[in-house]
Amino acid sequence: MGFVACEKHVVEYDTTDLSDVAEFQLHYFVPVDAKASNHIYKIEINNDVYVNNNAALLTTYNAVPNGSVGRFYTAKVGENQIKLYKDKKLDLVYDQACSLKKGKQNIFVYDFNKPPVVFENGHPYVTNVSENTDSVCWVKFYNFLYEKEDVPTDLKLQYQYTLDYKTKEKSQWADVGKPIAFGETTGWQVVKLKKEVFNSSGKCRVDFRIKVVDASGNPGEELQVMNPKGKFITYSDYWNEYIGRRYHHVLSGMRAAKPVSAVRQFTAL
């Protein structure tokens, strides 16, 4: 009876130890026209080139890495130098540093000449359990609204939502967190939902509005913004939100000039 000796082969994969690194998503919200010449074609962090999920560029009012929810880049804990190159000519348009901590963060570039704002992502997230047809999603509202070029708004804003969009004059509006100033966020806030279809994954339409906080510190008039035709209108918008999801809602652009303002939504989970 013969015996055959077996040689052990160890299979190794390239991995990154996340126990002591910073993880981040990079958001590009400088108030510029949404055109190709303003897209970011190259991203460098500490002179290392970061690839946007194999995509060629970072478009205006968008974030990387994209392609699916829950993706993050990694970088060292401490100070990190960010360089952004605009247009296909790769013109260096941004060269600023920021400090990152261990864990997940969101970096917002909102001015080519200023350091970015860094927010804690709030991960790990609490899980949600649906009960009958009623449940929730989470929304994090950010205020990066400009009045006009190089003039950040001095308005303090209260974000609100309703499910009663069919009877707007009688709608019950609920606050999404507390009022925030420019460069601030509400943090993750619960938004109550009700399924439109019982036997489904669970979504419903949610309407949003923005109130301007008055001198007494109370939500007063609704926010007036300029539309693409140059006319001032009351801000309003809606999204179809899904139970258990988490959404970034970023108010950006210019209130009284072009490019006009809008809330952009990104799914975090």
Side-chain angles (χ1 to χ4, degrees):
M1 182 175 180
F3 295 90
V4 178
C6 294
E7 182 179 353
K8 181 184 289 186
H9 292 275
V10 179
V11 179
E12 296 181 346
Y13 297 92
D14 291 332
T15 59
T16 301
D17 182 5
L18 300 181
S19 62
D20 195 30
V21 299
E23 299 176 69
F24 69 92
Q25 296 169 333
L26 181 66
H27 302 253
Y28 174 37
F29 278 86
V30 179
V32 294
D33 290 325
K35 58 183 181 181
S37 60
N38 285 323
H39 296 339
I40 301 301
Y41 280 76
K42 183 179 178 182
I43 301 170
E44 285 184 356
I45 312 291
N46 303 323
N47 295 319
D48 293 326
V49 177
Y50 280 62
V51 177
N52 175 20
N53 193 29
N54 295 321
L57 50 83
L58 166 57
T59 57
T60 55
Y61 309 105
N62 223 311
V64 290
N66 59 26
S68 66
V69 300
R71 289 177 175 266
F72 287 81
Y73 290 133
T74 59
K76 67 179 182 179
V77 173
E79 185 172 284
N80 289 267
Q81 196 73 24
I82 301 173
K83 293 182 180 180
L84 303 179
Y85 296 82
K86 184 169 70 93
D87 197 9
K88 293 181 179 180
K89 298 178 182 179
L90 298 182
D91 296 326
L92 179 62
V93 71
Y94 191 73
D95 188 0
Q96 298 286 337
C98 68
S99 181
L100 297 177
K101 301 177 182 178
K102 178 181 175 180
K104 291 179 170 60
Q105 291 126 105
N106 294 84
I107 302 173
F108 278 78
V109 175
Y110 66 95
D111 187 312
F112 286 135
N113 299 307
K114 295 180 180 179
V117 178
V118 180
F119 299 100
E120 290 288 342
N121 181 269
H123 191 273
Y125 308 134
V126 297
T127 56
N128 171 61
V129 178
S130 298
E131 182 175 335
N132 198 12
T133 60
D134 294 312
S135 199
V136 302
C137 71
W138 287 265
V139 170
K140 183 187 284 190
F141 176 62
Y142 302 79
N143 178 4
F144 282 99
L145 179 67
Y146 280 75
E147 289 293 318
K148 56 184 180 180
E149 187 174 359
D150 297 327
V151 182
T153 188
D154 60 358
L155 300 176
K156 204 166 188 179
L157 304 176
Q158 176 67 66
Y159 204 40
Q160 297 180 328
Y161 78 95
T162 184
L163 305 184
D164 301 324
Y165 62 92
K166 292 182 180 178
T167 56
K168 287 187 180 297
E169 70 280 358
K170 298 180 181 178
S171 294
Q172 296 296 312
W173 292 88
D175 292 341
V176 180
K178 296 180 179 180
I180 58 172
F182 181 88
E184 295 181 342
T185 180
T186 60
W188 290 116
Q189 304 296 324
V190 169
V191 170
K192 296 181 180 180
L193 304 179
K194 188 171 181 120
K195 286 185 183 183
E196 294 172 341
V197 179
F198 181 87
N199 188 20
S200 71
S201 59
K203 72 174 179 66
C204 74
R205 169 172 167 161
V206 184
D207 279 58
F208 294 90
R209 72 180 182 186
I210 301 173
K211 289 264 192 169
V212 178
V213 175
D214 60 25
S216 300
N218 300 311
E221 299 295 325
E222 293 186 45
L223 180 67
Q224 300 293 306
V225 297
M226 194 176 78
N227 68 12
K229 295 181 179 180
K231 180 181 178 181
F232 279 90
I233 59 173
T234 299
Y235 169 83
S236 65
D237 204 351
Y238 74 91
W239 303 90
N240 289 314
E241 312 291 39
Y242 283 80
I243 289 172
R245 287 289 196 181
R246 287 179 180 260
Y247 302 100
H248 300 284
H249 282 202
V250 187
L251 176 62
S252 55
M254 301 186 191
R255 191 188 70 83
K258 295 181 180 180
V260 297
S261 60
V263 170
R264 277 86 177 183
Q265 174 175 281
F266 299 87
T267 304
L269 176 69

